[in-house]
């Protein structure tokens, strides 16, 4: 998948997610935006990749469905807003099956989804 195709996929998914009453309630607060500004996009992407690899990538993540806090880091907010918070939501919204470890490509997709959502939030 090319970068342009990936961006189009993210944009289409963000439109779908915006139609969900639950998902559309999530927004970055001023302190989250300040954190992103201070840390920079590369650090935030590193944090996202770390959270995804440790909390979502295993076939059966510890406390699946409850492993992503609702606040405390911009990536956590993005995970809930984009339905990348647990394996059940990944299966329902993104078609990523449960019960098998996430591939490197799937992890890249998820991090990209999170980053796309946060970049949109920073523009608003």
């Amino acid at each position: 998948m090319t970068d342009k195709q990936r961006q189009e996929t993210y944009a289409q998914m963000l439109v779908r997610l915006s139609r969900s009453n639950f998902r559309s309630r999530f927004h970055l607060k001023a302190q989250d935006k300040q954190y992103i500004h201070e840390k920079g996009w590369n650090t935030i992407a590193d944090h996202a990749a770390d959270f995804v690899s440790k909390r979502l990538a295993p076939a059966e993540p510890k406390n699946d469905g409850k492993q992503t806090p609702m606040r405390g880091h911009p990536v956590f907010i993005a995970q809930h807003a984009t339905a990348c918070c647990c394996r059940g939501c990944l299966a329902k919204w993104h078609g990523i099956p449960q019960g098998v470890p996430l591939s490197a490509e799937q992890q890249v997709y998820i991090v990209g989804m999170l980053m796309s959502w946060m970049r949109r939030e920073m523009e608003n």
Side-chain angles (χ1 to χ4, degrees):
M1 182 180 286
T2 68
D3 191 49
K4 183 177 179 183
Q5 290 171 320
R6 186 172 277 124
Q7 293 306 317
E8 288 174 10
T9 299
Y10 296 148
Q12 291 169 359
M13 180 56 70
L14 290 172
V15 168
R16 275 189 63 213
L17 291 160
S18 72
R19 295 184 191 125
S20 164
N21 285 336
F22 178 72
R23 304 286 166 200
S24 64
R25 286 187 285 189
F26 291 95
H27 296 284
L28 293 178
K29 294 184 165 79
Q31 66 193 28
D32 298 317
K33 291 179 179 185
Q34 182 63 33
Y35 184 83
I36 291 170
H37 181 72
E38 289 172 4
K39 296 295 182 183
W41 286 112
N42 289 339
T43 298
I44 298 299
D46 289 345
H47 291 175
D50 186 55
F51 294 150
V52 169
S53 72
K54 290 179 179 168
R55 296 171 181 244
L56 289 177
E60 295 183 18
K62 183 179 178 192
N63 297 322
D64 194 29
K66 297 180 177 88
Q67 76 267 42
T68 304
M70 298 290 262
R71 61 182 173 268
H73 196 288
V75 172
F76 296 154
I77 308 305
Q79 285 183 269
H80 289 291
T82 61
C84 296
C85 46
C86 68
R87 295 304 295 269
C89 291
L90 284 171
K92 176 182 175 181
W93 285 90
H94 300 277
I96 297 174
Q98 292 180 270
V100 293
L102 294 178
S103 69
E105 184 177 324
Q106 289 168 327
Q107 291 181 56
V108 167
Y109 165 81
I110 293 165
V111 170
M113 185 83 245
L114 300 172
M115 297 303 291
S116 291
W117 183 86
M118 286 186 284
R119 286 183 192 279
R120 282 193 178 193
E121 282 289 300
M122 290 295 282
E123 293 170 3
N124 295 333

